[in-house]
Amino acid sequence: MKIPRLPTRLSTGWFVRSSFLFLLCWLAGGFAGSVWAQGKLEDYKRSAALKETLRNKVYNAPNNVYWTPAQKLWYLVRTARGLEFVVVDPRKKTRQPAFDQEQLAKKLSEATGKKIDPFNLPFTAITYGKDDEELEFVAEGSTWQVSTGAFAFRKKGAFQAEPTDRGYWGNSRSERDGKPVFSPDSSQTAFIKNYNLYIRSEKTKQETQLSYDGSEGDYYSAYIQWSPDAKKLVTNKVRPNAKRLIHFVRSSPDDQLQPKLESREYLKPGDALPVRRPQLFWVETKKQISVDDALFNQQFSLSRLEWRKDSRSFTFEYNQRGHQVYRILDVNATTGVVKPLIEERSNTFIDYSGKRARHDVNDGQEIVWASERDGWNHLYLIDGVSGKVKKQITKGEWVVRNLVHIDDKNRTILFAASGRNADQDPYFVHYYKVNFDGSGLTALTTEDANHTATFSPDFSYFVDSYSRVNLPPVTVLRNSADGSVVLELEKADISLWQKAGWKEPEVFSAKGRDGKTDIWGIIIRPTNFDPNKKYPVIENIYAGPHGSFVPKSFMSNSVSMHELAELGFIVVQIDGMGTSNRSKAFQDVCWKNLKDAGFPDRILWLKAAAQKYNHLDLSKVGIFGTSAGGQSATAALLFHPEFYKAAVSSCGCHDNRMDKMWWNEQWMGYPIGPQYDECSNVTNAHKLQGNLLLLVGEVDDNVDPASTYQLANALIKANKNFELVTLPGLGHTAGGDFGERKRRDFFVKSLLGVDPPNWNEISRDAAGSGTGK
């Protein structure tokens, strides 16, 4: 059927109303595969319609699973008739409604005087009692109880919400003040007074001073720990650092007319850090035992200070500044002698924030430890006395992703890993069981998909939800002993997506810069895709070394890349070298070199895709990202202008000296050296080619907004043209709906050469026609 041609020289208002009606007729007529001109209002409408069509239209795919005290599980699932609560008994192998939703809706309607839809109940969470015979939920400002056997329903009382503010991530905790700490036998308390450590008898109330050298600039911490036998004390002596603050103006506060000046604590690379030195005391003799700091005197951090249960010693973890040395240290409680139990060294960096895992067995007689010492992240069994490796538990060219559970009695480990299946995507997560000695390695999941497991409290069962970007989720209950399926729970229904013309993402891999390593990504096409046309390509980039970012599971609730593709683009996402979850060498590419961002691999991947598919137009490649992705998006135009032609950068970290210390020093190194300047978008702003749009939230307390402003300043000084959008009142963000519209309009203009719709005119005319905005 031929698509009628629209008039071109008529008022915008007529065009909006007519094309909107035409769009409805077109959608109703089933022309999802028809081809429109790219970047026009019709494409925007189709993109918006696709979002509405896909949203909440994946059925029978629970997002979360929860276990009850009695080892049952429940979940909330969207079905064709609405949201349904389901409870499963693993031992009885039963799956049934958690309660009678229609009966409950009727009772709740009577109690509240409001009409309640049984399959759109005004709550999404339930809490079971100890015997699972009674559950509670919160709705309409009250807590309600339901007996699940003989149906009984009652109002328990008014609901009082728990405080949810966890505070700002950058705030340092105060160690000067704290409540007295009781000894294990409650006979004494330890506390800080006048910067020094004291103890007090709870019987006589007599105070005894244990330390005498504390001062305002070198004080004893109030975080005091008694030994289990109550005969010893340990706390840190702290030399504080000068706090760095970042400042910004909230131009449009909600509670007043005038702007507000705000500040946040925010340590940046190179800043001074507090120094902590453990101090050991014998309580009975009031003696302080010297603890030599030679093995921990260049600290980035000291953490996890813990006593052994027999009070023989205490341990703590030492992360040396620069992240090239990491130690587990043991301090003898009799002599104060410090010895390393575990020491990790790296010529690049130790991924302390992403791959650290430790479990002490039998009061530290052994330690299960994760390490990349053989080039891949694996588990080791360490002798807790000598520090020697007793056994490498896991081994091979694959990656342990995280520890799930360690059973000391049976000497078994449950863990997640990826890359062990040579015929599958190396990022797919699977679950395994292994003995301490490395024997009995058992795959608990095998399907060619990405797996997410939720284990029962006793770890005897787990719910496994597995999917791919092109395979809808399947949810099953498994036995943790061997991974066998106990009960099939759900199989997702995406028929409405398919009817809407949704094109499943294509998984694509190609060789990286070394000619050997596979680089993985996805390709997303519009619903009206025509293989005979040429499409500009837009890459969604995030290249943070702390993870991998290409979606591996079905994107039920993430369709923004599909919406962008609808405007007339091919959208891709790729994990290049320098990111995590592959070998150590793969990740090490980022070290002191964040500007690399895997671009050599990304470009080769795109060229390989274009060689296979001639509808990819590599003369028009755009890129966008947020945060570290914003840094990389700008870097694409600065360091690879021959390939990337347009970039949208949101809240970018454009100079790693301007961003948070913990993240940037980990990858860029310490002390601050010339590598920071070489990787800086600000320093290299004069190299800009192509079209650049910068977006920044004016009160971003994750990445200092001054980073974006300094880039803008450098671009202006270099006489470069670019666009800058400041988002009043917003923090670390891609800009929400407004930012998304600016991003899409920018690519339509830059890559398609089409003027995007005039949204001000459209909003005015739509309002005038009574259709609303």
Side-chain angles (χ1 to χ4, degrees):
M1 182 176 180
K2 184 178 289 186
I3 301 170
R5 187 174 181 180
L6 293 174
T8 56
R9 292 194 176 183
L10 293 172
S11 72
T12 304
W14 182 94
F15 182 85
V16 172
R17 292 188 289 274
S18 300
S19 57
F20 179 74
L21 291 173
F22 179 83
L23 176 66
L24 294 179
C25 295
W26 171 70
L27 287 173
F31 292 98
S34 301
V35 180
W36 292 91
Q38 295 165 301
K40 299 294 187 179
L41 180 61
E42 291 80 3
D43 300 293
Y44 280 89
K45 287 182 177 180
R46 192 176 60 259
S47 174
L50 182 70
K51 178 179 180 179
E52 293 302 313
T53 303
L54 301 186
R55 186 169 57 182
N56 295 329
K57 295 300 190 300
V58 174
Y59 297 148
N60 308 110
N63 290 326
N64 297 296
V65 174
Y66 307 91
W67 288 89
T68 74
Q71 306 286 334
K72 294 180 183 177
L73 66 100
W74 72 268
Y75 57 86
L76 182 65
V77 63
R78 184 177 297 279
T79 68
R81 63 178 181 173
L83 295 171
E84 301 187 37
F85 289 86
V86 177
V87 65
V88 177
D89 189 327
R91 291 170 179 81
K92 294 180 179 179
K93 298 183 181 180
T94 59
R95 174 195 179 281
Q96 61 190 33
F99 49 87
D100 187 328
Q101 294 190 202
E102 292 181 328
Q103 191 174 12
L104 187 144
K106 180 180 178 182
K107 293 287 187 181
L108 194 58
S109 294
E110 292 172 354
T112 62
K114 295 183 178 180
K115 183 177 176 62
I116 305 294
D117 181 345
F119 297 104
N120 189 25
L121 293 168
F123 59 93
T124 57
I126 55 179
T127 303
Y128 278 89
K130 291 183 179 180
D131 57 4
D132 283 359
E133 294 301 316
E134 190 173 69
L135 60 85
E136 293 184 359
F137 64 89
V138 176
E140 306 299 331
S142 298
T143 301
W144 309 81
Q145 287 183 331
V146 177
S147 296
T148 57
F151 189 89
F153 173 83
R154 76 180 185 90
K155 182 177 180 179
K156 183 178 179 181
F159 171 68
Q160 292 186 339
E162 296 285 340
T164 57
D165 184 10
R166 297 181 181 179
Y168 168 60
W169 66 270
N171 286 341
S172 59
R173 66 178 186 175
S174 172
E175 297 186 60
R176 295 187 181 185
D177 303 311
K179 294 180 180 180
V181 181
F182 280 92
S183 62
D185 59 7
S186 299
S187 65
Q188 301 181 85
T189 55
F191 60 97
I192 302 299
K193 185 168 74 173
N194 297 326
Y195 311 112
N196 281 295
L197 178 64
Y198 285 70
I199 56 174
R200 179 174 58 232
S201 167
E202 287 303 296
K203 182 177 181 179
T204 66
K205 302 302 180 183
Q206 180 180 351
E207 294 183 357
T208 302
Q209 187 171 353
L210 296 184
S211 74
Y212 293 88
D213 57 344
S215 66
E216 184 176 10
D218 201 8
Y219 57 84
Y220 284 82
S221 170
Y223 292 94
I224 305 161
Q225 294 196 42
W226 288 87
S227 62
D229 63 7
K231 294 180 180 180
K232 309 170 194 74
L233 281 170
V234 64
T235 189
N236 284 319
K237 196 177 184 188
V238 181
R239 189 178 70 209
N241 62 318
K243 294 180 180 180
R244 178 190 289 277
L245 299 178
I246 60 170
H247 309 278
F248 32 69
V249 173
R250 187 179 296 274
S251 66
S252 312
D254 294 331
D255 59 346
Q256 66 183 46
L257 174 64
Q258 298 301 324
K260 292 181 177 179
L261 175 65
E262 299 183 8
S263 302
R264 304 280 195 280
E265 280 189 53
Y266 195 102
L267 287 175
K268 296 185 178 184
D271 284 348
L273 285 169
V275 176
R276 295 179 174 87
R277 291 157 291 158
Q279 306 294 309
L280 175 63
F281 297 86
W282 291 351
V283 175
E284 291 181 359
T285 61
K286 315 301 186 289
K287 185 177 180 181
Q288 183 170 1
I289 308 301
S290 175
V291 178
D292 187 359
D293 68 353
L295 289 174
F296 54 91
N297 62 6
Q298 300 176 56
Q299 58 191 255
F300 176 81
S301 66
L302 298 186
S303 61
R304 197 173 166 177
L305 194 155
E306 299 171 350
W307 279 99
R308 293 305 188 193
K309 293 176 183 177
D310 64 2
S311 301
R312 70 184 184 273
S313 65
F314 63 88
T315 63
F316 61 91
E317 299 189 8
Y318 164 66
N319 185 1
Q320 185 168 297
R321 194 156 188 188
H323 310 298
Q324 293 180 301
V325 177
Y326 200 97
R327 297 187 179 112
I328 309 299
L329 298 173
D330 177 276
V331 181
N332 186 293
T334 301
T335 65
V337 172
V338 183
K339 71 173 183 179
L341 297 180
I342 298 174
E343 180 173 284
E344 293 287 341
R345 287 183 175 270
S346 174
N347 292 326
T348 55
F349 58 85
I350 295 163
D351 189 353
Y352 80 95
S353 66
K355 298 188 177 76
R356 179 174 47 175
R358 167 190 162 195
H359 175 83
D360 293 358
V361 182
N362 191 22
D363 198 26
Q365 294 302 311
E366 295 173 306
I367 301 173
V368 176
W369 177 249
S371 171
E372 291 187 284
R373 61 184 64 182
D374 77 345
W376 300 81
N377 197 46
H378 281 297
L379 300 178
Y380 293 78
L381 186 65
I382 309 292
D383 187 301
V385 178
S386 68
K388 294 183 178 179
V389 176
K390 296 179 69 173
K391 185 70 177 181
Q392 182 172 350
I393 302 171
T394 61
K395 190 173 185 178
E397 294 187 354
W398 49 279
V399 178
V400 172
R401 298 287 286 267
N402 66 280
L403 288 175
V404 174
H405 176 65
I406 296 181
D407 185 336
D408 292 354
K409 181 179 179 181
N410 295 308
R411 297 178 71 78
T412 59
I413 302 170
L414 291 173
F415 67 95
S418 59
R420 190 167 177 267
N421 301 74
D423 58 341
Q424 296 184 16
D425 185 322
Y427 294 95
F428 282 170
V429 172
H430 285 277
Y431 290 82
Y432 299 89
K433 186 176 183 179
V434 69
N435 297 319
F436 277 18
D437 64 1
S439 66
L441 180 61
T442 303
L444 302 180
T445 59
T446 57
E447 294 85 355
D448 183 11
N450 196 45
H451 294 253
T452 301
T454 307
F455 285 80
S456 62
D458 65 358
F459 295 95
S460 58
Y461 297 95
F462 67 98
V463 175
D464 174 26
S465 178
Y466 62 89
S467 68
R468 300 189 301 266
V469 291
N470 51 10
L471 175 71
V474 176
T475 307
V476 299
L477 175 67
R478 296 185 186 271
N479 190 309
S480 298
D482 57 10
S484 59
V485 175
V486 177
L487 200 61
E488 294 182 357
L489 301 178
E490 304 287 348
K491 188 173 183 180
D493 175 3
I494 62 165
S495 56
L496 293 179
W497 280 38
Q498 292 166 332
K499 289 179 182 178
W502 169 78
K503 293 283 191 297
E504 67 180 37
E506 178 185 350
V507 178
F508 185 79
S509 65
K511 299 301 179 184
R513 69 187 78 181
D514 60 2
K516 300 181 295 183
T517 305
D518 287 329
I519 304 299
W520 290 75
I522 58 173
I523 302 171
I524 294 176
R525 299 174 174 89
T527 59
N528 63 351
F529 171 70
D530 182 348
N532 297 311
K533 290 183 63 175
K534 283 281 191 179
Y535 292 84
V537 179
I538 299 176
E539 180 182 353
N540 177 7
I541 190 170
Y542 192 92
H546 57 281
S548 54
F549 307 98
V550 174
K552 297 300 170 183
S553 298
F554 194 81
M555 298 185 288
S556 303
N557 301 310
S558 178
V559 298
S560 61
M561 286 192 286
H562 289 281
E563 296 170 49
L564 178 58
E566 284 302 291
L567 301 183
F569 303 108
I570 301 296
V571 181
V572 303
Q573 192 169 357
I574 311 159
D575 278 322
M577 290 186 184
T579 53
S580 190
N581 299 325
R582 300 286 288 276
S583 69
K584 172 66 172 164
F586 189 99
Q587 188 184 23
D588 276 351
V589 169
C590 76
W591 190 59
K592 294 187 176 182
N593 190 26
L594 283 179
K595 76 177 189 302
D596 179 276
F599 280 122
D601 313 300
R602 297 169 187 278
I603 293 170
L604 286 171
W605 186 96
L606 281 162
K607 287 180 177 179
Q611 187 172 5
K612 182 177 181 180
Y613 302 114
N614 59 15
H615 53 265
L616 274 67
D617 185 355
L618 295 193
S619 69
K620 299 177 180 178
V621 180
I623 188 168
F624 72 95
T626 299
S627 194
Q631 176 182 12
S632 298
T634 298
L637 299 187
L638 302 181
F639 303 111
H640 302 278
E642 76 291 344
F643 191 81
Y644 294 95
K645 306 305 179 185
V648 179
S649 168
S650 303
C651 293
C653 160
H654 296 290
D655 188 307
N656 297 102
R657 293 165 291 195
M658 290 291 293
D659 193 32
K660 61 195 76 64
M661 174 193 287
W662 73 265
W663 195 87
N664 291 272
E665 283 193 8
Q666 185 169 195
W667 321 117
M668 291 295 290
Y670 175 84
I672 307 304
Q675 70 272 18
Y676 281 83
D677 208 48
E678 293 163 3
C679 289
S680 169
N681 290 343
V682 178
T683 302
N684 291 283
H686 63 279
K687 298 178 181 178
L688 178 66
Q689 297 182 44
N691 298 319
L692 175 64
L693 169 62
L694 302 174
L695 295 98
V696 62
E698 70 174 358
V699 288
D700 184 353
D701 55 15
N702 185 313
V703 173
D704 187 346
S707 186
T708 296
Y709 298 139
Q710 288 183 2
L711 173 60
N713 182 50
L715 290 169
I716 291 169
K717 289 181 177 179
N719 199 29
K720 295 293 182 178
N721 195 39
F722 67 100
E723 295 182 34
L724 172 65
V725 175
T726 300
L727 304 164
L730 294 187
H732 197 60
T733 177
D737 290 342
F738 178 78
E740 185 68 47
R741 193 176 78 193
K742 296 296 290 184
R743 179 163 45 253
R744 294 175 186 178
D745 286 357
F746 185 81
F747 285 132
V748 165
K749 177 72 172 178
S750 299
L751 299 178
L752 294 176
V754 174
D755 287 330
N758 187 325
W759 299 109
N760 292 341
E761 291 291 327
I762 291 170
S763 297
R764 183 198 67 192
D765 291 340
S769 68
T771 60
K773 295 183 181 180

